[in-house]
Amino acid sequence: HGEVFEANVGDVEDDALPVFAGPPGGSAQMLAMWRRLQPAFAQYGLALERLALSGRGSWRVETEDEAAVELGRGSDDEVVARSERFLRTLAQVRARFRAPLAYADLRHADGYAVRLRGVTTALPAAKAKTTY
């Protein structure tokens, strides 16, 4: 119901409960955002595990497979729309590089930055030349 309460861990039957972290008084807003983001991410095969709201109003999610996505600030509608645009293109990016998501930053005005597991843009260190 968006109300903060303390629960005895032994009484909790569902191990898959999400984790929320945010400022005092933000629980109802966090639950509302969770209810909008969770199905959007699930549609693309990403199970959300954690939702965080910073004191400055910036949203962040973490997935079950430990990928982090910085959603940024804005109205709930703006954050959800930004997330949906990202999710629509993520499948193409993952398919092209055949790698799972590690991190994404959606706080850019005209796009996003992404890091995939096992994919790097750094050149390998040059092999030492041996002279005989």
Side-chain angles (χ1 to χ4, degrees):
H1 297 287
E3 298 172 9
V4 177
F5 66 95
E6 291 191 35
N8 181 350
V9 178
D11 292 340
V12 177
E13 295 177 13
D14 190 353
D15 292 333
L17 290 175
V19 175
F20 295 161
S27 58
Q29 181 185 13
M30 294 193 74
L31 180 60
M33 181 63 84
W34 176 266
R35 287 181 172 161
R36 293 183 70 184
L37 291 174
Q38 189 276 333
F41 276 77
Q43 179 180 351
Y44 293 94
L46 295 170
L48 295 184
E49 186 172 272
R50 181 180 175 90
L51 175 66
L53 176 61
S54 75
R56 297 186 66 204
S58 186
W59 294 96
R60 174 186 173 103
V61 294
E62 294 176 18
T63 67
E64 236 177 34
D65 57 354
E66 299 178 357
V69 182
E70 298 288 348
L71 305 174
R73 295 187 292 188
S75 71
D76 290 0
D77 289 340
E78 291 169 333
V79 172
V80 170
R82 191 178 313 127
S83 300
E84 289 173 344
R85 278 192 307 272
F86 161 71
L87 291 165
R88 282 192 302 269
T89 61
L90 180 62
Q92 294 171 326
V93 173
R94 288 177 18 186
R96 178 166 186 204
F97 293 99
R98 296 185 182 130
L101 178 68
Y103 175 81
D105 187 343
L106 313 187
R107 298 174 294 178
H108 305 279
D110 296 322
Y112 59 85
V114 67
R115 183 172 57 238
L116 302 173
R117 286 193 176 86
V119 176
T120 181
T121 57
L123 295 174
K127 293 182 180 179
K129 294 183 181 181
T130 307
T131 308
Y132 294 98

